[in-house]
Amino acid sequence: MRIYVAGIGPGSAEDITPALQQAVADSNVVVGYKYYFQFIEKFISDDTVCIDTGMKKERQRAEMAFEYAEKGNTVCVVSSGDAGIYGMAPLIYEMKREKESKVEIVSIPGISAFQKAASLLGAP
């Protein structure tokens, strides 16, 4: 019973961390906005359940993640950038508290768009 909450970075393959790759590979359920799957599909096993939703469905994605995790699955919820900065991590932690859930939450940081932009502009 685990939910990984992971950031896929700002949208390029070289910015996806090895930790995210491993979390996706270890999960038997991956939940995210459908656009994000193109960036991680090569790390997803053939037997992995992929749940994709449209935009503005964050609460629905979080609910589904808990539903699967509480049935004994390892779930990876993916966000763009860093999952803790304008991502899914705060919602997942809040929902865990509300539900008084025993599901383990593991937050995996990603590279945020502002970090990438600053790097490209030479302004750390």
Side-chain angles (χ1 to χ4, degrees), residues 1 7 12 15 18 23 29 49 59 61 70 75 82-83 91 93 112 123:
M1 292 191 348
S12 58
D15 294 327
V29 179
V49 175
R59 184 160 283 282
R61 289 194 295 270
E70 288 171 350
V75 180
D82 177 89
L91 177 59
Y93 280 109
S112 69

Side-chain angles (χ1 to χ4, degrees), residues 1-4 26-27 65 69 72-76 103-106:
M1 292 191 348
R2 173 181 294 156
I3 297 175
Y4 291 108
D26 290 349
S27 298
N73 293 287
T74 299
V75 180
C76 185
V103 171
E104 177 188 10
I105 308 299
V106 178

Side-chain angles (χ1 to χ4, degrees), residues 27-93:
S27 298
N28 50 344
V29 179
V30 178
V31 179
Y33 169 48
K34 59 187 172 187
Y35 177 75
Y36 303 153
F37 282 87
Q38 67 183 314
F39 301 107
I40 61 169
E41 62 189 349
K42 65 183 169 189
F43 311 116
I44 299 172
S45 301
D46 290 338
D47 59 344
T48 299
V49 175
C50 294
I51 300 169
D52 57 346
T53 65
M55 290 187 74
K56 309 281 185 195
K57 303 284 185 182
E58 291 83 5
R59 184 160 283 282
Q60 179 184 357
R61 289 194 295 270
E63 289 282 354
M64 286 188 282
F66 275 97
E67 182 180 318
Y68 278 94
E70 288 171 350
K71 291 178 182 174
N73 293 287
T74 299
V75 180
C76 185
V77 177
V78 293
S79 292
S80 64
D82 177 89
I85 303 172
Y86 303 117
M88 291 291 291
L91 177 59
I92 295 288
Y93 280 109

